[in-house]
């Protein structure tokens, strides 16, 4: 039956950045589809608490564990714990990322200009968003290849395909609040091509690698921003956090068996015009 193609029964999934707004929904979607989920982020206590919540909601055995995805030793420890607990890993969701927000509203405008953008923020974003996916894929993907199959899902963004619309970050009076920097689209663009590399590299080993590129998610932004963003999409709205659940389950399991190296765009039509 077609419905069985979306079942993840008997599979184990690792989700990085599991405590974020979308990360939590990725975990819930995978667990509800039948997978045992290992939720990982930087906060060990919060990961463990969230895993308990997942287990209670889904009836699946889930685990929470802290890991620094930019540290190969930390990722290896995560891998060892996952294999010890579940035997093997079938699914990896490279979701962890940082968005280059300039926190101080007094300095945000000038600090976010390309001409002034701090090199330490550039390096930090690339380290987490790109190198972190590299390390996790290297460790877990090699395991999948040895086991004869698996699914890696890299989370990118519409800004991995198109440039940021800087007008979104203007106030109602026309003044600019801050500029979206070059590093986020650079990192997400790299993730999309990294997906293609891994797909071609591990295809013969049965490891499928695909990208999910989400659009903007409504999360308490001010009214003006939400209205501006919504006007830029054919569907006329920002995404809800749950709008990417279907895409994750689809890419994780047999429903996408003949799909690799692809970029699944779920953006309300943002990149259609």
């Amino acid at each position: 039956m077609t419905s069985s193609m979306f079942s993840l029964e008997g599979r184990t999934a690792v989700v990085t950045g599991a405590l974020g707004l979308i990360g939590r929904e990725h975990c819930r979607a995978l667990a509800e589809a039948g997978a045992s989920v290992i939720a990982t982020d930087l906060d060990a206590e919060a990961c463990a608490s969230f895993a308990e919540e997942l287990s209670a909601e889904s009836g699946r055995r889930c685990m929470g564990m802290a890991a620094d995805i930019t540290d190969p030793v930390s990722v290896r420890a995560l891998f060892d714990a996952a294999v010890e607990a579940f035997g093997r890993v079938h699914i990896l969701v490279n979701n962890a990322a940082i968005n280059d927000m300039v926190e101080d509203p007094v300095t945000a405008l000038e600090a976010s200009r390309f001409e002034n953008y701090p090199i330490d923020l550039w390096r930090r974003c690339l380290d987490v968003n790109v190198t972190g996916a590299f390390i996790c894929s290297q460790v877990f993907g090699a395991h999948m290849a040895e086991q004869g199959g698996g699914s890696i899902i890299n989370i990118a963004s519409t800004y991995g395909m198109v440039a940021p619309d800087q007008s979104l970050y203007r106030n109602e009076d026309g003044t600019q609040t801050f500029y979206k920097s070059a590093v986020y689209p650079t990192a997400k663009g790299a993730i999309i091509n990294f997906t293609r590399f891994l797909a071609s590299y591990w295809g013969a080993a049965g490891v499928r690698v695909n990208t999910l590129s989400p659009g903007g998610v409504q999360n308490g932004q001010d009214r003006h921003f939400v209205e501006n963003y919504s006007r830029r999409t054919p569907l006329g709205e920002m995404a809800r956090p749950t709008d990417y659940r279907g895409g994750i389950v689809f890419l994780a399991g047999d429903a996408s068996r003949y799909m690799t190296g692809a970029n699944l765009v779920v953006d309300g039509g943002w990149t259609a015009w």
Side-chain angles (χ1 to χ4, degrees):
M1 294 179 61
T2 302
S3 59
S4 67
M5 298 172 68
F6 293 89
S7 172
L8 301 177
E9 191 75 36
R11 304 186 196 187
T12 301
V14 172
V15 180
T16 69
L19 299 180
L21 179 68
I22 299 179
R24 289 176 181 267
E25 297 303 327
H26 294 336
C27 291
R28 289 190 175 102
L30 295 168
E32 288 174 9
S36 294
V37 176
I38 301 165
T40 184
D41 214 305
L42 292 173
D43 187 328
E45 185 176 339
C47 284
S49 176
F50 179 52
E52 289 182 9
E53 183 181 320
L54 273 180
S55 296
E57 290 174 353
S58 66
R60 306 296 168 182
R61 180 187 173 201
C62 297
M63 183 173 81
M65 181 174 174
D68 178 356
I69 62 166
T70 67
D71 179 0
V73 174
S74 182
V75 173
R76 176 57 64 175
L78 172 68
F79 169 78
D80 290 343
V83 172
E84 181 179 358
F86 297 100
R88 65 168 292 190
V89 174
H90 305 81
I91 301 157
L92 169 66
V93 181
N94 281 316
N95 173 71
I98 56 173
N99 204 347
D100 55 317
M101 301 300 290
V102 180
E103 300 297 338
D104 186 348
V106 177
T107 61
L109 180 61
E110 287 305 311
S112 65
R113 290 182 186 275
F114 176 73
E115 295 86 346
N116 303 330
Y117 194 78
I119 190 66
D120 60 327
L121 291 183
W122 170 270
R123 288 174 174 152
R124 175 61 178 158
C125 187
L126 291 180
D127 198 26
V128 173
N129 295 16
V130 181
T131 306
F134 167 86
I135 295 170
C136 290
S137 297
Q138 192 175 58
V139 172
F140 287 96
H143 164 76
M144 292 177 188
E146 290 170 0
Q147 296 295 321
S151 176
I152 298 175
I153 305 168
N154 294 321
I155 307 300
S157 168
T158 52
Y159 282 170
M161 297 173 286
V162 297
D165 181 352
Q166 302 292 357
S167 69
L168 288 177
Y169 311 107
R170 292 179 190 150
N171 299 314
E172 289 191 77
D173 63 5
T175 59
Q176 192 80 25
T177 301
F178 67 93
Y179 294 94
K180 191 70 176 176
S181 83
V183 69
Y184 189 77
T186 298
K188 292 305 186 180
I191 285 295
I192 293 171
N193 221 34
F194 180 55
T195 293
R196 298 183 182 115
F197 169 83
L198 290 181
S200 62
Y201 184 79
W202 272 325
V207 180
R208 299 184 303 106
V209 189
N210 293 289
T211 303
L212 174 66
S213 286
V217 181
Q218 190 163 354
N219 185 32
Q221 298 96 334
D222 67 63
R223 176 192 55 79
H224 181 64
F225 177 85
V226 173
E227 290 176 352
N228 277 351
Y229 189 101
S230 298
R231 279 194 292 267
R232 283 277 281 105
T233 67
L235 291 184
E237 61 178 336
M238 296 188 75
R240 295 167 294 183
T242 55
D243 283 336
Y244 305 109
R245 285 188 174 194
I248 283 290
V249 172
F250 169 67
L251 292 176
D254 295 340
S256 58
R257 186 198 69 82
Y258 195 59
M259 184 175 176
T260 196
N263 181 18
L264 180 62
V265 182
V266 186
D267 67 351
W270 174 277
T271 53
W273 57 15

